[in-house]
Amino acid sequence: MNTTDTTDTTPPLPVHKRGSRLKKRTTDFFVSLFNINKFIFRFFREAFVPPFEFKEIIRQCYETGVRSFTLISLTGFIVGLIFTKQSRPSLEVFGAVSWLPSLVSIAIMRALAPLVTALIAAGKVGSSIGAELGSMRVTEQIDAMEVSGTKPFKFLVCTRVIATTLTIPILATYTAFIGLLGGYVNVAVNEGTSYRTFMQQVFDPLSFVDFSASLIKSIVFGFTIGIVGCYQGYNSSKGTEGVGKAANGAVVTAMFLIFIEEIVIVQIASWFR
């Protein structure tokens, strides 16, 4: 009987080739890190120097905030409703259902509202920015703006980053109140708690540090979404393939950084509580 040998006979890469590949990847990583830092420093250098593109900033705030309003409202309400519903059985075991409004307020205000808002914005706004600037880059519209004497970086990048930095905190605050409203609906249906009593129990455990940390996280998340989306789109290449990679890279990178920033800011805030 003839048998087919399926053993992989491909010889391993020589040591010097593997070393050169590792060296190239390390070099590419540090070059990318340098370019990202250069991009961020350029933003701070140009964003606060006149002329200011107020009309474009307002338009981008509208695109970022108003067009995300419906999705944010629905998501925030569902998050508050589901979190309250899932938390009730655990509290009933210990006879502590009366603590449910306080638990909901702490979870939503400290973590869920800024994080959920940022993740939704990273998927919706970040990908949109990356695809839009990427398409402008591959169709040479950005190069045409540079030749015509306009400043594409200030008009395209600074306005979008400022808009996300300003808009995400507003959306996160709105998400928090909508999430609390969803929690109240669940509590009112099951316990018959009045809205006034619910709100008193909601704000009792919260401190100034909680509100400050939530606001700072929202600002940092907004800046991250804007700067990552603009960097991916502004430096895209390779035609339509580059546009897709810019949109995908904007979402994945922004979400990864948001989780890292969440961990860091939560740890710093815990030192002040």
Side-chain angles (χ1 to χ4, degrees):
M1 179 183 295
N2 294 329
T3 59
T4 303
D5 186 7
T6 58
T7 304
D8 186 6
T9 58
T10 304
L13 289 174
V15 176
H16 69 279
K17 287 188 176 180
R18 284 182 288 179
S20 61
R21 179 176 295 181
L22 178 62
K23 182 179 179 180
K24 183 179 183 303
R25 290 180 178 177
T26 305
T27 303
D28 292 341
F29 171 77
F30 283 106
V31 169
S32 299
L33 192 63
F34 171 78
N35 291 332
I36 293 171
N37 289 321
K38 183 179 178 181
F39 191 84
I40 295 174
F41 287 140
R42 184 179 178 184
F43 164 78
F44 284 108
R45 188 175 65 247
E46 297 191 15
F48 306 104
V49 177
F52 301 107
E53 303 288 348
F54 289 113
K55 290 184 178 181
E56 182 64 15
I57 292 175
I58 293 173
R59 190 182 75 84
Q60 292 301 325
C61 286
Y62 174 82
E63 294 291 333
T64 303
V66 177
R67 291 190 178 276
S68 304
F69 192 77
T70 303
L71 182 60
I72 289 291
S73 300
L74 181 62
T75 306
F77 185 84
I78 292 175
V79 167
L81 185 67
I82 296 302
F83 181 82
T84 307
K85 186 177 181 62
Q86 294 294 332
S87 300
R88 173 175 281 101
S90 299
L91 294 179
E92 284 179 346
V93 174
F94 300 97
V97 180
S98 60
W99 292 359
L100 190 57
S102 299
L103 175 64
V104 172
S105 68
I106 292 173
I108 290 179
M109 295 300 296
R110 288 185 181 179
L112 291 179
L115 187 60
V116 168
T117 304
L119 293 178
I120 292 174
K124 185 178 186 300
V125 179
S127 61
S128 175
I129 292 175
E132 184 179 6
L133 295 187
S135 63
M136 294 181 69
R137 170 62 73 183
V138 300
T139 56
E140 300 182 352
Q141 295 182 47
I142 296 178
D143 297 332
M145 293 176 67
E146 292 175 347
V147 172
S148 63
T150 58
K151 297 181 178 179
F153 190 91
K154 176 181 284 292
F155 185 81
L156 299 176
V157 175
C158 294
T159 55
R160 284 165 172 78
V161 176
I162 292 174
T164 56
T165 307
L166 294 176
T167 308
I168 298 303
I170 299 174
L171 290 177
T173 304
Y174 173 74
T175 303
F177 283 102
I178 290 296
L180 293 176
L181 179 61
Y184 166 71
V185 170
N186 186 274
V187 172
V189 169
N190 290 275
E191 279 85 32
T193 305
S194 66
Y195 184 77
R196 181 176 181 179
T197 303
F198 178 83
M199 283 302 171
Q200 287 177 347
Q201 295 175 347
V202 159
F203 287 102
D204 280 344
L206 298 176
S207 63
F208 177 76
V209 176
D210 296 324
F211 291 105
S212 301
S214 180
L215 178 62
I216 292 172
K217 282 195 291 186
S218 301
I219 294 173
V220 173
F221 293 163
F223 176 80
T224 301
I225 293 169
I227 203 72
V228 169
C230 289
Y231 177 81
Q232 294 287 345
Y234 201 80
N235 296 282
S236 64
S237 58
K238 297 182 180 179
T240 54
E241 179 184 356
V243 176
K245 287 184 176 180
N248 182 66
V251 176
V252 174
T253 307
M255 286 186 174
F256 175 77
L257 293 177
I258 285 169
F259 284 118
I260 298 299
E261 292 163 353
E262 171 75 15
I263 295 173
V264 173
I265 297 175
V266 166
Q267 181 60 45
I268 295 174
S270 65
W271 297 339
F272 296 94
R273 289 195 176 97

